[in-house]
Amino acid sequence: MDSALLDIRRIYVEPAAAELPRGREVLDRFPDAERVEVESHNRIPELYGDETNVARWVRIKRGALVLGVKKSLTARPNGRSADFIAPSAANGCAMACAYCYVPRHKGYSNPITVFANIDKIAGYVRRHAGRQGPKPTPNECDPALWVYDIGENSDCSLDARVSDNVRDLVDLFGTLPNAKASFATKHVNRDLLTWDPRGHTRIRFSLMPAADAKLLDIRTSPIADRIAAIDDFVAAGYEVHVNFSPVVVRDGWLADWAELLDQLDAGIGPAAKSQLAAEIIFLTHNRDLHQVNLGWHPKAEDLLWRPDLQQGKRSENGFWNVRYRTGAKGSYVSALRDLISTHIPYCRIRYAF
């Protein structure tokens, strides 16, 4: 494990999680870490909701781990990237992307939380998929299988360095005749190449121009490494798509995206190209996150907070978000679609927004 990315010094533990087999495995994996008993994984004052943590943003992500029990098990309909959002086997992240929406919900640094009741999570998913039966008609998620996003609030490639939860889910979906797992990642974990996904796990490598990634994708795998991994994951039995996300509009953005698309085209082989598809997600930012970022990474806000280009909108969760202005955004989407059709015409665009 890269100690610059993860060096777990303290584990916040729900007692019920420590009694479960997966909980004991995680604790054994980090035997030298201090253990702090907590009543609930999502009510830890020194981690969540304390604005003084801005000064310790990366230090917390690198050195803290939370071990809890997932209480509510639901599969939410999605219909865009996936048919359903599976119940989380983890949330939070050791990486520190400046645009990440997760801190908006949990508060400040938000390190990895591992849910130890993976057996119940997997059992719920198995039963839910069983109730769906065969997929009746193709849709933009997949032509034949129900798609479950297993990493909405975390990065599964990184989670797999902390526990075996992700492997258990990949193994599970390999046995389900009517469903597949899906997750987006910014972390190349080649340990996953030794697993057997049986074509029932879709990995979506998130890509953006390297100049943007250097400023915004903090503590993630370099863009070149993500592209270099695609062929290997296809050969290992994964379906591999790409997420062009988030797309940030700035001076010279289209020229840099053209360069990225050429790098992708040159970096993957025929097998990857024959199954490649993309999701395009333009930046949505948040007023509260903007204020947080000013405390630990203000340079990122030069790209992310652009009142001259953005308009505000209250989200369903009550947050004040900003996105590119209606009308102008449509032209941005069209311009990027045209680039993709020119530089990587074999890449199907699953959706763009």
Side-chain angles (χ1 to χ4, degrees):
M1 186 182 303
D2 182 356
S3 61
L5 188 58
L6 278 172
D7 184 19
I8 303 302
R9 302 294 183 90
R10 177 178 293 181
I11 304 178
Y12 298 87
V13 189
E14 285 184 8
E19 295 173 1
L20 294 170
R22 181 54 39 83
R24 291 194 295 270
E25 289 174 14
V26 172
L27 291 173
D28 289 344
R29 189 171 293 194
F30 304 101
D32 297 328
E34 176 191 4
R35 301 180 186 182
V36 179
E37 185 174 309
V38 295
E39 181 180 347
S40 173
H41 66 84
N42 58 7
R43 289 196 300 274
I44 306 174
E46 62 189 271
L47 292 186
Y48 310 133
D50 181 357
E51 64 183 20
T52 63
N53 281 335
V54 169
R56 303 187 298 134
W57 190 272
V58 170
R59 192 187 322 156
I60 290 173
K61 285 179 168 292
R62 178 172 178 252
L65 181 68
V66 182
L67 188 60
V69 173
K70 179 73 172 175
K71 309 298 193 299
S72 175
L73 302 181
T74 60
R76 293 187 288 107
N78 180 251
R80 180 175 275 160
S81 179
D83 294 293
F84 301 101
I85 306 298
S88 300
N91 69 31
C93 190
M95 296 180 285
C97 300
Y99 47 81
C100 180
Y101 67 87
V102 177
R104 306 177 201 169
H105 298 277
K106 206 163 185 180
Y108 297 96
S109 188
N110 197 22
I112 295 173
T113 295
V114 177
F115 294 123
N117 55 330
I118 185 62
D119 290 347
K120 287 191 174 181
I121 294 169
Y124 175 89
V125 171
R126 183 187 300 107
R127 293 189 298 273
H128 188 277
R131 290 194 297 270
Q132 307 314 308
K135 194 169 193 175
T137 55
N139 64 9
E140 67 179 14
C141 301
D142 193 80
L145 301 177
W146 298 106
V147 180
Y148 288 75
D149 194 315
I150 63 171
E152 182 189 34
N153 293 314
S154 67
D155 190 304
C156 290
S157 297
L158 185 54
D159 295 342
R161 296 195 182 278
V162 176
S163 83
D164 289 334
N165 281 3
V166 179
R167 182 164 192 169
D168 287 350
L169 291 174
V170 169
D171 288 346
L172 167 65
F173 279 95
T175 69
L176 300 180
N178 67 331
K180 68 170 59 170
S182 177
F183 63 88
T185 184
K186 303 179 185 72
H187 179 69
V188 177
N189 182 353
R190 291 183 172 272
D191 292 345
L192 276 62
L193 296 172
T194 66
W195 302 357
D196 184 13
R198 304 180 187 179
H200 279 235
T201 293
R202 173 187 294 162
I203 294 181
R204 295 151 21 232
F205 282 102
S206 294
L207 302 177
M208 65 172 64
D212 290 343
K214 185 176 181 180
L215 186 61
L216 304 177
D217 271 8
I218 310 302
R219 294 167 57 79
T220 64
S221 296
I223 296 296
D225 290 359
R226 301 181 211 176
I227 293 173
I230 291 175
D231 279 356
D232 293 336
F233 276 84
V234 171
Y238 293 91
E239 180 183 37
V240 180
H241 288 183
V242 289
N243 278 11
F244 297 134
S245 168
V247 181
V248 177
V249 176
R250 55 168 174 77
D251 291 344
W253 71 282
L254 282 172
D256 284 353
W257 274 96
E259 181 179 349
L260 172 68
L261 297 175
D262 287 341
Q263 291 169 351
L264 177 60
D265 180 59
I268 61 176
K273 291 177 180 179
S274 69
Q275 52 87 75
L276 194 67
E279 301 175 12
I280 302 173
I281 305 170
F282 276 73
L283 173 71
T284 296
H285 199 31
N286 174 269
R287 182 174 59 191
D288 294 338
L289 182 59
H290 167 63
Q291 293 299 325
V292 171
N293 283 351
L294 290 176
W296 79 278
H297 190 33
K299 289 184 178 180
E301 292 306 297
D302 292 340
L303 292 187
L304 300 179
W305 191 256
R306 293 289 305 274
D308 55 320
L309 300 177
Q310 296 164 334
Q311 64 186 32
K313 181 179 180 181
R314 184 74 65 181
S315 73
E316 294 177 358
N317 296 319
F319 295 103
W320 186 254
N321 295 336
V322 294
R323 61 196 66 189
Y324 296 117
R325 296 183 186 279
T326 303
K329 181 178 176 181
S331 67
Y332 303 152
V333 173
S334 295
L336 186 53
R337 280 182 174 273
D338 289 344
L339 275 185
I340 291 170
S341 66
T342 299
H343 292 261
I344 49 171
Y346 47 82
C347 181
R348 177 171 54 93
I349 299 174
R350 291 186 49 235
Y351 70 89
F353 78 95

